[in-house]
Amino acid sequence: MNTSFSPNALSVRDPWAMVPSIGNLDAYISAVNRIPLLTPDEELSLGRQLRDHADLAAAGRLVLSHLRLVVSVSRQYLGYGLPQGDLIQEGNVGLMKAVKRFDPEQGVRLVSYALHWIKAEIHEYILKNWRMVKVATTKSQRKLFFNLRSLKQGFKGDALDGDTHRSTLSADEVAQVAQGLNVKPEEVIEMETRMAGGDVALEPQSDEGEEAFAPIAYLSDVSQEPTRVLEARARDELSGDGIQRALEVLDERSRRVVEERWLKVNDDSSGGMTLHELAAEYGVSAERIRQIEVAALKKMRKALAPA
């Protein structure tokens, strides 16, 4: 696959054909960095073609020549734990919005105009997908969200005691950040706490193998699974009212045999009477008592079966 680009490569009718079909992020970054930049005159000409004639090929060339800008901006947001590929994708959306709205007669280069739109899309993506979106709800909190990390690095750089591994802000530093970003000190502390905590995947990642163990394995409550709840409810009913209804279908002797053999528990936990004890009481053989027991249990199961 040839990924080299000539200076006049952007003149092709289908500019998107210049980006090779590759799935590797490093290869993509390498490819877009090889796309030549537009001169001011080329950018002005293409901008007029897009504005006056809705020329999609011109729009494509403007976008392609600035893909490297999106890659550069995306690197500034790698500390938020989101894949760079996703950040680049969202940044590209912002770039296309900028190209669509670009006015070449304003005397501003597209690179300066597009920077705002690229960052805006990436900011929105981070706020929607990161776990502390509920905190960054106001304009000042959003500013805190995207500036706290760099401010903390600045405090570490100014430290006189050599403690460059300190992860938390002092009370004075919290006050400085709160004053500078127009937020409450408590909001600074809460935001720092959330940013300091690591994200944990609930499910094992695909490359961790079959033996991978993740929190989802012990966070799920199997006792509340619907089928288990229904089974437990049915079991409780059968062990209570259900057993009583089943005993009512038996004659007196069969009922006593079942109660003595299966339902009675003495104080010494020895259970009820044995087959031989019941046989002696009723004047029959132990085998006859066993037959009565089997027939009685069969009747009870039939009585408990759903209609």
Side-chain angles (χ1 to χ4, degrees):
M1 178 173 56
N2 182 14
T3 58
S4 62
F5 303 99
S6 60
N8 61 350
L10 287 174
S11 63
V12 296
R13 186 62 188 169
D14 182 12
W16 297 106
M18 296 168 51
V19 179
S21 178
I22 47 182
N24 183 274
L25 179 60
D26 291 336
Y28 168 83
I29 293 175
S30 176
V32 299
N33 283 335
R34 293 172 182 267
I35 300 176
L37 299 175
L38 295 172
T39 65
D41 290 340
E42 289 175 329
E43 183 176 294
L44 181 62
S45 175
L46 292 170
R48 287 171 176 170
Q49 290 180 45
L50 174 60
R51 181 196 62 190
D52 300 336
H53 307 290
D55 189 337
L56 294 182
R61 292 169 64 184
L62 288 170
V63 170
L64 279 172
S65 64
H66 290 80
L67 290 178
R68 67 176 68 192
L69 173 63
V70 177
V71 172
S72 177
V73 173
S74 71
R75 293 194 182 101
Q76 302 173 22
Y77 299 94
L78 295 179
Y80 294 99
L82 296 171
Q84 187 180 11
D86 292 348
L87 296 173
I88 291 175
Q89 178 174 301
E90 296 301 318
N92 286 342
V93 172
L95 172 60
M96 288 185 282
K97 289 182 178 180
V99 168
K100 181 179 180 181
R101 294 165 173 80
F102 179 57
D103 185 352
E105 309 301 339
Q106 292 296 320
V108 178
R109 292 296 302 270
L110 178 57
V111 63
S112 300
Y113 181 72
L115 195 59
H116 162 77
W117 289 94
I118 295 170
K119 288 186 175 181
E121 287 297 320
I122 292 178
H123 284 189
E124 195 65 26
Y125 171 74
I126 293 174
L127 288 174
K128 284 182 178 179
N129 291 274
W130 218 42
R131 60 193 169 86
M132 58 171 152
V133 58
K134 64 180 181 180
V135 176
T137 53
T138 67
K139 184 176 181 180
S140 59
Q141 288 174 336
R142 288 165 67 101
K143 189 175 181 181
L144 171 62
F145 179 91
F146 288 108
N147 286 276
L148 183 56
R149 180 175 280 106
S150 60
L151 289 174
K152 286 182 65 175
Q153 292 299 323
F155 287 134
K156 289 180 182 180
D158 295 337
L160 298 178
D161 56 4
D163 185 13
T164 58
H165 299 284
R166 179 166 51 89
S167 60
T168 58
L169 296 174
S170 67
D172 291 340
E173 291 168 344
V174 168
Q176 291 181 45
V177 173
Q179 183 178 4
L181 298 179
N182 193 28
V183 295
K184 298 177 181 178
E186 307 88 75
E187 293 176 329
V188 176
I189 295 173
E190 182 178 4
M191 185 70 73
E192 184 194 19
T193 301
R194 289 179 178 274
M195 294 180 72
D199 289 325
V200 177
L202 287 178
E203 297 182 348
Q205 302 303 305
S206 57
D207 58 350
E208 291 182 356
E210 296 182 357
E211 302 301 322
F213 186 75
I216 195 66
Y218 55 81
L219 287 178
S220 59
D221 187 356
V222 295
S223 65
Q224 297 303 314
E225 198 271 328
T227 56
R228 289 179 178 266
V229 171
L230 292 175
E231 289 175 357
R233 188 178 302 168
R235 185 168 57 251
D236 292 341
E237 181 180 353
L238 289 178
S239 63
D241 296 340
I243 294 294
Q244 188 60 39
R245 291 198 308 270
L247 287 173
E248 291 175 356
V249 304
L250 303 178
D251 60 74
E252 182 178 349
R253 184 174 63 172
S254 297
R255 178 170 180 167
R256 183 156 187 270
V257 169
V258 170
E259 289 178 340
E260 288 290 344
R261 294 282 294 151
W262 295 96
L263 303 178
K264 181 173 289 189
V265 178
N266 295 331
D267 293 339
D268 59 358
S269 300
S270 60
M273 300 173 66
T274 65
L275 291 174
H276 291 282
E277 290 173 339
L278 287 169
E281 179 178 329
Y282 285 104
V284 295
S285 65
E287 175 59 22
R288 177 56 184 157
I289 295 297
R290 190 192 65 79
Q291 294 173 355
I292 293 173
E293 178 185 354
V294 171
L297 293 176
K298 185 177 180 180
K299 287 184 179 180
M300 292 179 66
R301 281 194 293 269
K302 186 176 180 179
L304 291 173

